């Protein structure tokens, strides 16, 4: 039976500096010099990456035959539901406004707004990034592309 020398696999603590004199905030610094994020920020980043991935996955499923698409659709629904449940457990929700009329006062940044005239009637064509809300209100505005209504 092989024996493991735990001293050789011990994490290298010199990659993280916990000495408050090393950093102005008195907290830990990551090995790359970046500030560590709080748990909510990390969860939100993962959820946004998951949201982007599920949008891509949904587009890829349209290229599959019906039998394969059904199997992947079930997995896709489960993935989307789990992300929503995880976010809901910490009071966060992602809002998708695709297909809804665009209002200049909405919590989104329209990346192609300059392509339209001020009196054009616009709708949200695609969500690039969802609107992120919690009980207190807006956490992050969404990013969208627009199109003229009726197109």
């Amino acid at each position: 039976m092989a024996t493991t020398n735990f001293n050789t696999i011990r994490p290298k603590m010199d990659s993280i500096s916990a000495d408050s004199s090393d950093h102005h905030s008195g907290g830990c610094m990551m090995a790359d010099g970046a500030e560590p994020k709080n748990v909510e920020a990390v969860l939100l980043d993962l959820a946004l990456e998951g949201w982007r991935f599920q949008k891509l996955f949904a587009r890829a499923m349209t290229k599959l035959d019906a039998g394969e698409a059904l199997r992947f659709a079930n997995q896709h629904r489960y993935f989307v539901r789990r992300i929503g449940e995880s976010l809901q457990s910490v009071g966060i929700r992602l809002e998708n406004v695709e297909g809804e009329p665009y209002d200049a006062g909405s919590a989104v940044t329209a990346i192609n707004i300059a392509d339209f005239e001020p009196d054009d009637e616009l709708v949200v064509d695609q969500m690039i990034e969802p609107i992120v809300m919690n009980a207190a209100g807006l956490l992050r505005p969404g990013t969208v592309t627009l199109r003229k209504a009726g197109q």
Side-chain angles (χ1 to χ4, degrees):
M1 178 182 275
T3 345
T4 304
N5 180 351
F6 288 101
N7 290 329
T8 62
I9 59 173
R10 180 180 53 214
K12 294 182 179 181
M13 295 307 291
D14 60 332
S15 65
I16 299 176
S17 171
D19 182 1
S20 64
S21 66
D22 289 350
H23 195 263
H24 66 279
S25 69
C28 291
M29 184 180 288
M30 305 303 288
D32 63 0
E35 287 280 338
K37 291 184 175 184
N38 67 36
V39 174
E40 183 180 85
V42 170
L43 176 62
L44 187 53
D45 287 345
L46 285 171
L48 290 173
E49 290 303 320
W51 186 87
R52 287 183 196 106
F53 179 75
Q54 69 88 16
K55 296 271 289 177
L56 176 68
F57 192 83
R59 277 196 303 266
M61 284 190 324
T62 64
K63 299 182 183 335
L64 299 175
D65 67 53
E68 280 186 313
L70 180 61
R71 183 173 57 108
F72 286 113
N74 290 332
Q75 291 172 335
H76 180 256
R77 274 193 298 278
Y78 175 77
F79 178 75
V80 170
R81 188 180 79 230
R82 287 295 299 139
I83 286 178
E85 289 169 352
S86 296
L87 289 174
Q88 186 177 12
S89 73
V90 294
I92 296 173
R93 70 183 188 280
L94 304 179
E95 297 290 333
N96 185 342
V97 293
E98 279 182 0
E100 294 183 19
Y102 173 72
D103 177 8
S106 18
V108 296
T109 300
I111 60 175
N112 64 337
I113 190 71
D115 298 345
F116 303 99
E117 297 298 322
D119 58 338
D120 284 341
E121 195 173 321
L122 304 173
V123 296
V124 175
D125 185 39
Q126 183 180 12
M127 292 291 303
I128 307 298
E129 201 167 88
I131 300 167
V132 183
M133 306 284 293
N134 69 7
L138 181 68
L139 289 176
R140 286 190 195 177
T143 304
V144 301
T145 60
L146 304 173
R147 64 176 161 79
K148 287 184 180 180
Q151 286 186 347

